[in-house]
Amino acid sequence: MTTTQVRAACPLDCPDTCALLVTVTDGVATNVKGDPDHPTTAGVLCTKVSRFTERTYHADRLLHPLRRVGKKGEGKFERISWEDALQTIAARLKPIAARDPQAILPYSYCGTMGLVQGESMSSRFFNQLGASLLDRTICASAGATGYRYTVGASIGTDLEQFQNAKLIIIWGGNPIASNLHFWMRAQEAKRNGATLIAIDPYRSLTAEKCHQHVALLPGTDAALALGLMHVLIVEDMLDHDYIERYTVGYDALKQRALEWPPERVAEVCGITATEVVELARLYGQACRSGEGAAIRTNYGVQRVHGGGMAVRNIACLPALTGAWRHPAGGMQLSSSGSFPVNRKALQRPDLLKGTPRTINMSTIGDDLLKASSAEFGPQVEAVIVYNSNPLAVAPDSSKVAQGFGREDLFTVVLEHFQTDTVDYADIVLPATTQLEHVDAHSTYGHLYMMANNAAVAPLGEAKANTEIFRLLAQYMGFDDPCFQESDDALAAKAFDATDARAVHFDWESLKRRGWQKLAMPEAPFAAGGFPTPSGKCEFYSSAMAQAGLDPLPTYIAPHESLASNPALAARYPLAMISPPARNFLNSTFVNVKSLRAAEGEPHLDIHPDDGAARGIVAGDMVRIFNDRGSFVAKARLTDKARRGLVVGLSVWWKKLASDGKNANEVTSQRLTDMGRAPTFYDTLVEVEKVA
């Protein structure tokens, strides 16, 4: 019996990107644990990833290519060879490409966050083909855009500094479920005397363990940030030296903030004026004391109409107070902008001939149903889905199903399991999991470059994404040498070795060690140096003005709210949000029985007063509906959901729900104010008891 230990990295869409140690005995992965030497992982994994071997060796793994034999959506397939699969795909794509390659669409997101298995060989393939480009907006683009207008790039407080803070504001996130290693450091800070504040419409697991929970209405975070600015300015809890040296537009910002007294903010946000004043004072005094005051903002803030502006407004606070001066101060939304990722070398945009149209992944439901037109371009005739499960995760799910249900749409899906999306495929290609391939990773929650070594050989006939797209290129007749590059050769190009942040990155040494920290300053903006056009934190953004946006922080009401649409609010008086369930990661892991058993079944949390008004008691099956659709869940009466709010923890595979539906039946394809992102948490519904 031969036992080895292999260094790996978690590939999932989570800021933690844990360093893994995989135990392999006689070619079989028997255990996955966190690397105790990696400073952020510290030997601890979430419940989900600690069961990664259960997922890799799951009895339902797709291990052979398949061809559809039933109707779309039925999920009936027959096994075929790789040769048959590749020939079939090439035979369908070639005539479409000859007419107009823009009629072919890739659809992918972060089923893996790897730089190699994510968007490298696949991008080369679609660039050479001339396919439509995909605007990958479904998670973070609104907040990233608002943050970039203000701060310049996705750079912020180092995760390893948070335990030194004396005040931590957790704004729009539930890190116990989705950012465990940040939560460990927040708990350490709490033990050292720090105050933890949660700002969230829902009293999540995290909010329950903070000193204070501010339960504002969904989509009103931008107004709260303006109210905090108002109090900071009026009570002069500002760092005037920092403002003078390292910001632009303060005088204009001051006038805007003075329009938002606590009483106005309280009315918009559904909280008290006292909460606004006390939170501002707590933050301002912590910054003035010279102690670390840090804001951890997550993506829940930006999944509403004004989501980009909300993140922008919050991002102004550390510059007003000089919180950036302290290594444990400032703000973190994402650390992804810290990494010198060499995307041009990986993705080869130079292979493009001309500029294809761009289709937004968040409006895939509508776009698959559009006919050819001068405005839209050619009807989408073929979709290749990888690293994503749009039938479960995309908004306005009934439209998505209608689009993928078109008999004239040729659909190829690369997957591990027979997801909701696989049920609509014409050809299914079995993909490897993280334990079976090589990859390189940047992160968006800490500052370590990560390596993933293949721990075991691919199971069955599964192939890595990169190998699948190499083969597709071959069958399409693409002969550029770039399609022959190995995964190791791609990984060696992942980071720019000449960039000082990468400290002369070397792939072979990274593979051996598993991780390497970027060379970043402890406090990235202590002395300004913002990567904005002005080099300063931009309270006033000329770039926003040029884009037709308000150049100053403002408040944009949700699309679906009493303020924006009183008639709609009269019909559907309950706001709904659908944050991640603790035991799922988007739609990943839903089919792992032990994790699904921990969640039980789809639930809807509703305030007892709202339940009583509808004759609903705990345990009732309820129908949640609006003009777009409906789904069924079991009611849990709880004051974790504030009055007027219902919460459906997500994202369930539709086929594993009692009615074959999930929360995205009622979400909208409307987009955010900036970043063209979806508005999942900008949803009005009604709830009724069902027999």
Side-chain angles (χ1 to χ4, degrees):
M1 184 177 292
T2 303
T3 298
T4 58
Q5 198 168 68
V6 179
R7 291 193 175 275
C10 177
L12 299 175
D13 188 2
C14 166
D16 294 45
T17 313
C18 292
L20 309 179
L21 296 176
V22 184
T23 301
V24 180
T25 302
D26 288 347
V28 176
T30 57
N31 185 47
V32 174
K33 66 179 183 179
D35 184 348
D37 296 327
H38 183 234
T40 62
T41 304
V44 178
L45 296 181
C46 69
T47 304
K48 301 179 281 287
V49 175
S50 64
R51 300 181 187 182
F52 211 92
T53 56
E54 186 178 340
R55 189 171 188 275
T56 297
Y57 294 105
H58 197 291
D60 296 336
R61 267 289 299 274
L62 295 173
L63 298 177
H64 309 282
L66 303 172
R67 175 168 48 213
R68 176 170 65 92
V69 294
K71 293 181 180 179
K72 289 204 171 186
E74 285 185 341
K76 295 181 180 178
F77 298 95
E78 64 179 2
R79 178 176 170 179
I80 58 174
S81 68
W82 271 100
E83 177 77 11
D84 284 347
L86 294 164
Q87 284 184 346
T88 300
I89 295 167
R92 292 294 299 269
L93 295 186
K94 282 180 178 179
I96 299 173
R99 293 192 301 274
D100 190 337
Q102 294 179 106
I104 301 169
L105 176 69
Y107 193 100
S108 67
Y109 199 62
C110 292
T112 172
M113 297 288 288
L115 298 172
V116 175
Q117 304 300 337
E119 304 299 336
S120 65
M121 197 60 69
S122 57
S123 293
R124 294 179 180 190
F125 175 82
F126 290 113
N127 287 339
Q128 177 73 66
L129 185 61
S132 288
L133 301 175
L134 183 72
D135 201 2
R136 293 176 171 86
T137 63
I138 203 163
C139 180
S141 63
T145 302
Y147 194 81
R148 186 167 58 248
Y149 277 132
T150 312
V151 174
S154 293
I155 297 171
T157 308
D158 185 349
L159 173 70
E160 294 179 36
Q161 294 293 337
F162 275 95
Q163 73 273 12
N164 301 320
K166 291 302 179 185
L167 172 68
I168 300 176
I169 299 175
I170 301 169
W171 201 322
N174 180 18
I176 288 179
S178 59
N179 193 183
L180 177 62
H181 294 84
F182 160 76
W183 180 247
M184 289 166 59
R185 291 180 182 269
Q187 286 290 89
E188 185 178 347
K190 185 180 180 183
R191 289 191 293 270
N192 293 334
T195 299
L196 272 55
I197 309 291
I199 301 175
D200 194 322
Y202 179 59
R203 196 172 76 245
S204 66
L205 293 170
T206 300
E208 287 188 326
K209 295 185 182 303
C210 290
H211 294 95
Q212 182 184 351
H213 172 214
V214 180
L216 75 179
L217 288 166
T220 62
D221 305 85
L224 177 56
L226 284 164
L228 299 182
M229 292 183 216
H230 178 103
V231 177
L232 292 169
I233 290 168
V234 168
E235 300 193 5
D236 196 21
M237 293 182 285
L238 305 175
D239 186 329
H240 292 284
D241 178 68
Y242 194 94
I243 291 169
E244 177 66 25
R245 289 171 179 261
Y246 307 129
T247 74
V248 294
Y250 169 70
D251 289 339
L253 173 68
K254 178 180 178 180
Q255 293 307 309
R256 176 62 57 82
L258 290 178
E259 299 171 6
W260 284 89
E263 294 74 19
R264 181 185 180 188
V265 173
E267 184 176 357
V268 169
C269 296
I271 57 178
T272 67
T274 300
E275 286 177 285
V276 180
V277 173
E278 290 182 350
L279 179 59
R281 287 174 178 166
L282 189 65
Y283 181 66
Q285 289 163 4
C287 295
R288 178 175 285 177
S289 73
E291 298 177 313
I295 301 172
R296 175 65 173 105
T297 308
N298 216 324
Y299 294 121
V301 169
Q302 47 104 72
R303 293 185 173 130
V304 294
H305 180 199
M309 187 65 76
V311 172
R312 166 165 166 68
N313 292 7
I314 297 165
C316 291
L317 296 170
L320 279 172
T321 59
W324 285 118
R325 294 187 189 272
H326 197 291
M331 173 177 172
Q332 187 195 91
L333 173 70
S334 167
S335 61
S336 60
S338 303
F339 290 82
V341 176
N342 199 347
R343 298 192 191 279
K344 287 185 178 180
L346 291 170
Q347 300 176 8
R348 294 292 303 276
D350 58 295
L351 294 170
L352 277 170
K353 299 174 182 66
T355 305
R357 69 174 173 193
T358 297
I359 288 179
N360 191 326
M361 71 184 305
S362 299
T363 58
I364 189 66
D366 282 343
D367 290 338
L368 287 182
L369 295 172
K370 288 180 179 176
S372 299
S373 68
E375 180 184 12
F376 180 64
Q379 182 183 42
V380 177
E381 296 182 52
V383 182
I384 299 180
V385 180
Y386 56 104
N387 300 335
S388 189
N389 182 14
L391 265 295
V393 304
D396 201 354
S397 194
S398 64
K399 288 278 188 72
V400 179
Q402 288 176 47
F404 276 97
R406 284 172 40 206
E407 282 295 331
D408 63 335
L409 178 71
F410 179 62
T411 302
V412 179
V413 180
L414 287 61
E415 251 301 352
H416 303 139
F417 298 100
Q418 191 170 332
T419 63
D420 293 330
T421 302
V422 167
D423 288 343
Y424 286 79
D426 294 287
I427 299 290
V428 183
L429 301 177
T432 49
T433 69
Q434 188 77 343
L435 302 188
E436 302 160 83
H437 57 230
V438 168
D439 217 331
H441 290 259
S442 60
T443 78
Y444 65 96
H446 60 74
L447 298 175
Y448 288 85
M449 298 179 287
M450 310 287 286
N452 184 77
N453 293 282
V456 298
L459 274 62
E461 295 184 84
K463 297 183 186 297
N465 287 349
T466 46
E467 181 61 15
I468 292 172
F469 283 103
R470 286 188 198 98
L471 289 168
L472 287 173
Q474 176 187 324
Y475 276 74
M476 291 295 290
F478 301 162
D479 57 6
D480 191 292
C482 76
F483 293 108
Q484 302 304 315
E485 281 193 288
S486 69
D487 287 1
D488 274 302
L490 291 167
K493 296 178 176 180
F495 302 103
D496 181 358
T498 66
D499 192 296
R501 291 172 293 177
V503 200
H504 305 295
F505 154 75
D506 174 72
W507 173 238
E508 291 302 320
S509 63
L510 186 64
K511 281 175 70 176
R512 288 191 298 272
R513 188 177 179 188
W515 39 270
Q516 176 187 331
K517 192 170 187 181
L518 297 175
M520 291 286 291
E522 274 195 337
F525 306 126
F530 292 91
T532 56
S534 66
K536 300 181 177 183
C537 181
E538 298 197 349
F539 298 145
Y540 179 97
S541 169
S542 298
M544 292 182 73
Q546 292 167 10
L549 300 167
D550 192 324
L552 288 168
T554 190
Y555 169 65
I556 300 168
H559 287 298
E560 300 193 3
S561 63
L562 184 62
S564 298
N565 194 332
L568 185 71
R571 296 206 315 276
Y572 302 114
L574 298 172
M576 190 193 86
I577 61 174
S578 47
R582 183 174 189 176
N583 291 287
F584 305 155
L585 202 158
N586 300 322
S587 71
T588 304
F589 295 107
V590 180
N591 65 314
V592 176
K593 261 185 194 175
S594 59
L595 295 171
R596 193 167 71 253
E599 290 299 326
E601 61 184 304
H603 286 92
L604 186 81
D605 285 356
I606 182 170
H607 192 277
D609 292 353
D610 292 324
R614 292 160 177 81
I616 295 167
V617 299
D620 280 346
M621 296 303 292
V622 295
R623 175 175 172 261
I624 304 96
F625 64 97
N626 58 21
D627 291 342
R628 289 179 289 273
S630 67
F631 69 103
V632 170
K634 182 175 284 188
R636 295 193 298 202
L637 269 59
T638 172
D639 62 2
K640 290 182 179 182
R642 57 164 293 155
R643 291 180 184 86
L645 174 74
V646 294
V647 181
L649 300 178
S650 296
V651 178
W652 282 81
W653 286 15
K654 296 199 291 184
K655 68 170 73 177
L656 295 178
S658 62
D659 62 341
K661 299 178 180 180
N662 70 16
N664 281 319
E665 296 290 330
V666 299
T667 56
S668 166
Q669 293 181 75
R670 279 178 158 168
L671 301 179
T672 52
D673 53 337
M674 58 187 84
R676 306 167 306 284
T679 54
F680 288 113
Y681 299 171
D682 191 334
T683 300
L684 288 178
V685 299
E686 183 55 283
V687 178
E688 63 183 8
K689 181 177 178 178
V690 297

